Amino acid sequence: MKSQKILNDPVYGFITIPSELIFTIIDHPYFQRLRRIKQLGLTDFVYPGALHTRFHHAIGAMHLMSITLDNLRIKGTEITDEEYEAALIAILLHDVGHGPFSHALEYSLLKGVPHEEISLLIIELLNEEFGGKLDLSLRIFKNQYQRKFFHQLVSSQLDIDRLDYLQRDCFFTGVSEGTIGADRIIKMMDVKNDQVVIEEKGIYSIENFLSARRLMYWQVYLHKTTVSAEKMLIKLIQRAKFLRQSGYRFTVTDEFDYFLENDPTLSDFRTNPDLLRLFLEMDDLDIWGAIKLWKKHPDYVLRNISQMFLTRNLFKISLTNEAFSPDEIKQLKEKTIIKLQIPSDDLDYFFCHGAVSNYGYLAKDRINILTKKGKVIDVAQAADLPNIKVMSKIVEKHYVCKAKSLNLNY
């Protein structure tokens, strides 16, 4: 590079972009698009500071990966310059496949197409464009590289992705309970038998990390107001898709219009690169632009939900530990129909129920502790950490969401 490029990050301070290839990837339109996709979707309805983007997160994760690899080298793990750059690119592009509003619309705008699969297709597309320079990054991303610890750093229960988003989301939401000691965790990382391990003296940092993640899920990611807003957005897109596929035309961007009218499958994306390029033209702004246009739409469902978004008049949500009985759901539905004065066929757009779940630690995807005697054990087996065993239990909460009132006049 003619001059070393530096970014100023609010969480870590100055971040150096370490190579010309990485700088070219960051500069690419597919990556720059992440500036227009918020990391936490609609969470700013609850925490007004949560306006950071997937771009912020990807750059931060790349920075943490570089610190991690530097530390592993100091501890004696041989990492070539090619592996170093490839691992940085793999983590930099791990979320590049997210669509508008990230997780909220993952299964409604695109049905059954996970963002991880889209990310993989985008990395393959970029690899073609860059003449095979991303071959090793692809192998690491797909867990096809013989040195398995690289993939663990990109995707596992204690990966660089989580270390960044927990710190970053804490910073921007102001939820201090989610604070983790990422610096200490990275310092305690080592590689043993081609597996990422944490030195025994870092075990309490891991306990804090798992506990913080669990808290962040209940306080931020699965906050009941966020759940309500996300369900509203899903209902809005469902209605728009229904109308579009019934022959109605909207004034929206061409890309958004295509995905309202069609339901492409993962195999469609795999066989048609133009479809992927079309998807890569979309971001949060396509949806917000539509919502602003739909606030005066003749269709009362589109109009009402759009107005609700723009005035933050969200669905009322009840969250309980016990599941609602069929009779309770039936009564609530009947009351909602009467209160809103709507046809029963349209109730599903203004009423929904279901469950959200959260866990602290999944034993099937181990976090390994390296004891002082050189033995590798699962963190849940550590004698004085009963808290982690408790965190292995999946906790489920049940919700009912319903509109409070409607504007039926137009």
Side-chain angles (χ1 to χ4, degrees), residues 131-179:
K133 289 181 182 175
L134 274 57
D135 278 345
L136 184 52
S137 300
L138 258 173
R139 286 164 65 200
I140 289 170
F141 189 85
K142 290 156 76 172
N143 200 18
Q144 290 176 354
Y145 187 49
Q146 66 267 24
R147 303 188 75 188
K148 298 296 183 186
F149 77 89
F150 281 110
H151 178 77
Q152 277 185 293
L153 291 173
V154 173
S155 179
S156 67
Q157 238 179 143
L158 184 63
D159 56 28
I160 304 303
D161 172 33
R162 293 183 187 197
L163 290 181
D164 179 79
Y165 78 61
L166 285 173
Q167 285 195 105
R168 192 166 297 280
D169 297 348
C170 279
F171 180 90
F172 283 97
T173 58
V175 177
S176 57
E177 291 88 346
T179 307

Side-chain angles (χ1 to χ4, degrees), residues 110-361:
L110 296 183
K111 291 178 180 171
V113 184
H115 76 270
E116 294 91 348
E117 294 291 342
I118 298 286
S119 292
L120 175 58
L121 293 173
I122 294 167
I123 298 170
E124 288 172 347
L125 200 61
L126 285 168
N127 192 36
E128 281 178 40
E129 208 173 300
F130 288 110
K133 289 181 182 175
L134 274 57
D135 278 345
L136 184 52
S137 300
L138 258 173
R139 286 164 65 200
I140 289 170
F141 189 85
K142 290 156 76 172
N143 200 18
Q144 290 176 354
Y145 187 49
Q146 66 267 24
R147 303 188 75 188
K148 298 296 183 186
F149 77 89
F150 281 110
H151 178 77
Q152 277 185 293
L153 291 173
V154 173
S155 179
S156 67
Q157 238 179 143
L158 184 63
D159 56 28
I160 304 303
D161 172 33
R162 293 183 187 197
L163 290 181
D164 179 79
Y165 78 61
L166 285 173
Q167 285 195 105
R168 192 166 297 280
D169 297 348
C170 279
F171 180 90
F172 283 97
T173 58
V175 177
S176 57
E177 291 88 346
T179 307
I180 58 164
D183 290 347
R184 180 164 172 77
I185 290 170
I186 288 170
K187 284 276 193 293
M188 295 298 116
M189 277 186 184
D190 206 343
V191 174
K192 175 101 173 173
N193 303 326
D194 198 33
Q195 295 287 310
V196 174
V197 294
I198 301 293
E199 293 168 10
E200 193 173 355
K201 58 190 172 183
I203 198 164
Y204 295 111
S205 296
I206 299 303
E207 185 179 25
N208 176 55
F209 162 79
L210 293 171
S211 180
R213 184 174 176 274
R214 189 161 163 263
L215 279 165
M216 283 294 284
Y217 265 82
W218 288 131
Q219 278 194 251
V220 178
Y221 311 130
L222 297 177
H223 188 287
K224 67 176 190 175
T225 308
T226 304
V227 172
S228 168
E230 287 185 355
K231 297 300 167 193
M232 282 173 62
L233 186 60
I234 288 165
K235 298 295 180 187
L236 184 69
I237 297 301
Q238 283 174 352
R239 181 63 171 186
K241 276 180 100 70
F242 168 75
L243 291 172
R244 185 69 187 91
Q245 291 173 8
S246 302
Y248 204 101
R249 296 197 72 84
F250 294 122
T251 306
V252 293
T253 60
D254 292 343
E255 297 80 19
F256 187 25
D257 187 60
Y258 177 87
F259 287 100
L260 287 176
E261 189 180 6
N262 300 280
D263 290 309
T265 63
L266 184 54
S267 64
D268 292 332
F269 276 98
R270 283 178 176 151
T271 54
N272 185 357
D274 288 337
L275 189 59
L276 190 61
R277 291 186 184 98
L278 198 67
F279 174 78
L280 284 162
E281 291 292 321
M282 272 200 310
D283 52 54
D284 291 2
L285 302 182
D286 293 71
I287 314 295
W288 277 119
I291 289 171
K292 290 191 77 176
L293 290 168
W294 292 341
K295 71 180 177 182
K296 292 182 178 176
H297 199 277
D299 180 75
Y300 84 99
V301 178
L302 273 191
R303 182 175 75 249
N304 272 278
I305 299 179
S306 296
Q307 285 173 357
M308 287 173 187
F309 265 117
L310 295 168
T311 57
R312 200 189 173 278
N313 174 26
L314 306 180
F315 285 4
K316 185 176 181 178
I317 183 166
S318 304
L319 206 62
T320 66
N321 293 325
E322 299 296 319
F324 293 87
S325 71
D327 278 349
E328 285 175 307
I329 294 294
K330 188 183 173 192
Q331 285 173 18
L332 286 165
K333 282 183 172 181
E334 286 168 355
K335 283 181 184 174
T336 305
I337 289 169
I338 293 165
K339 186 178 180 186
L340 300 182
Q341 297 180 301
I342 56 169
S344 57
D345 287 353
D346 291 340
L347 178 66
D348 278 352
Y349 293 113
F350 300 107
F351 182 99
C352 58
H353 62 97
V356 290
S357 60
N358 180 19
Y359 63 87
Y361 180 63

